Amino acid sequence: MTTTDRDDHPSGPLAGLRVVEFAGLGPGPFAAMLLADAGADVIRVDRPTGPVDGGALTRGRPLMGLDLKTATGRDVALDLVRRADVVVEGFRPGVMERLGLGPEQCLAENPALVYGRMTGWGQDGPRAREAGHDINYLALTGALRSIARRGEAPVPPLNLVGDYGGGGMLLAFGVLAALLERRTSGRGQVVDAAMVDGVSLLMTGIWSRAAQGRWSGEPGTNDIDSGAPFYDVYATADGGYMAVGSIEPQFWARLLEGLDVDQGSLPAQWDRERWPETKQVLAARFARRTRAEWTEVFAGRDACVTPVLGLAEAPGDAHLAARGTLVPRPDGPQPAAAPRLSRTPLRARAATDLDAALARWGIAAGVGAR
């Protein structure tokens, strides 16, 4: 059995945990996926007309189509909630309450329930009911302005920081913390996971540097924001790129050795005023060879220098392949479950059978699509 084979008997560290996921986009499904990968028995409640999302983000759990605007659909959903340990939802504040499935209603039916809420702005505050996306949450927290080359416009870091790191992963952490607390109190609670909070949390290291006077407010002038010559991306002769993270002095020395640059001919590594000058020297040197040639030069040199791979190339990387970091699927590779537990491993399971899941929950088959 591969790590993505169909498995109607979930196993892993969260085996036996029952989760109701009210389907949404992005961070909510990601949190539910993390729980499912860890062995939780997750049922995904979606609209009866079809799923709002698909692909790897929905792996490991069956889909039940319910029209939550009808009394019948709501009753079926509440039946699931009564039997569940966790609810995950990602609607704007007030939506679940209007459906009769908000935390107050659900906790009244199941006082031990952990009710996980995923929003951008949070459950309160002036913007709580406004629309937004990853880029907006980064914008207000200072994160987006910090991701830019000197003198250039900010660059959105895909939707990794808000939706997934500061969103879904934060929600999963909050749910697990609440579950752990429940072991002593016997009571559930609401987890208010807001991406604006999560993004700020991920910026803790930068706030710390700023408080210590080690971070300039001008983007692209600091040691890890493309300002330094030892932490940047350089173009190669064939249009490829090499990533350099040679921060420590020993790695800096090995970088220059690999580039055949005399360290004595350059300004001191931490001479910030002359970083642009040093970067020009390194850029000119990297431009002399192809990415493959530089990859060979730095193989085994332990200089923190790696080729920049595209999505199509990543599965072929020897290290990723050896670890099974990406799992082959008929519809294309997808990330394997992580992190790796020695005794109760996580598994990226394919979608499970709804009737089998309902049977485990003590519910008769065929209650979906209502």
Side-chain angles (χ1 to χ4, degrees), residues 130-336:
E130 289 185 10
H133 282 295
D134 184 293
I135 192 171
N136 306 117
Y137 315 131
L138 270 63
L140 287 195
T141 56
L144 185 59
R145 188 68 190 94
S146 301
I147 305 173
R149 291 188 176 278
R150 188 171 190 172
E152 296 184 8
V155 177
L158 305 181
N159 63 337
L160 303 179
V161 180
D163 280 353
Y164 299 110
M169 200 166 289
L170 182 73
L171 176 58
F173 169 76
V175 164
L176 294 179
L179 287 170
L180 186 61
E181 189 278 337
R182 191 182 71 171
R183 294 173 59 183
T184 55
S185 70
R187 299 170 59 194
Q189 59 182 305
V190 178
V191 178
D192 175 6
M195 284 177 261
V196 69
D197 298 342
V199 171
S200 291
L201 189 64
L202 292 176
M203 288 285 286
T204 300
I206 303 304
W207 282 108
S208 179
R209 286 167 179 253
Q212 298 171 44
R214 298 191 296 117
W215 190 262
S216 164
E218 183 181 358
T221 64
N222 298 285
D223 55 348
I224 57 170
D225 66 355
S226 79
F230 49 79
Y231 202 90
D232 205 353
V233 174
Y234 292 93
T236 58
D238 58 343
Y241 294 92
M242 297 295 290
V244 172
S246 309
I247 300 175
E248 291 80 3
Q250 68 272 27
F251 302 139
W252 175 244
R254 292 171 192 160
L255 166 68
L256 298 182
E257 182 183 73
L259 292 173
D260 195 22
V261 173
D262 179 12
Q263 188 166 352
S265 68
L266 295 177
Q269 180 184 355
W270 285 90
D271 186 345
R272 289 175 177 263
E273 295 298 322
R274 301 183 67 184
W275 275 355
E277 174 187 334
T278 303
K279 290 181 74 169
Q280 288 182 355
V281 174
L282 269 58
R285 192 56 60 105
F286 271 111
R288 294 181 180 180
R289 297 188 182 184
T290 66
R291 189 187 70 178
E293 290 172 329
W294 285 123
T295 299
E296 184 175 353
V297 166
F298 285 102
R301 193 175 289 271
D302 202 25
C304 302
V305 179
T306 51
V308 177
L309 304 182
L311 285 179
E313 298 173 298
D317 177 75
H319 182 78
L320 301 186
R323 285 185 59 82
T325 299
L326 293 165
V327 180
R329 290 288 303 275
D331 55 350
Q334 63 176 245

Side-chain angles (χ1 to χ4, degrees), residues 74-159:
R74 182 170 58 254
D75 289 346
V76 172
L78 276 175
D79 190 29
L80 288 172
V81 167
R82 293 186 192 102
R83 302 164 190 262
D85 298 289
V86 177
V87 160
V88 170
E89 64 94 3
F91 298 105
R92 292 197 210 184
V95 171
M96 292 297 283
E97 284 82 352
R98 291 194 295 273
L99 291 171
L101 295 165
E104 186 174 346
Q105 296 101 321
C106 289
L107 283 165
E109 299 286 338
N110 182 354
L113 183 71
V114 172
Y115 196 106
R117 316 199 78 173
M118 183 77 260
T119 60
W121 304 113
Q123 295 300 314
D124 53 28
R127 293 184 182 269
R129 283 173 165 74
E130 289 185 10
H133 282 295
D134 184 293
I135 192 171
N136 306 117
Y137 315 131
L138 270 63
L140 287 195
T141 56
L144 185 59
R145 188 68 190 94
S146 301
I147 305 173
R149 291 188 176 278
R150 188 171 190 172
E152 296 184 8
V155 177
L158 305 181
N159 63 337

Side-chain angles (χ1 to χ4, degrees), residues 35-53:
L35 299 175
D37 284 354
D41 201 350
V42 184
I43 293 179
R44 177 177 166 90
V45 175
D46 211 328
R47 64 188 67 178
T49 56
V52 299
D53 201 355

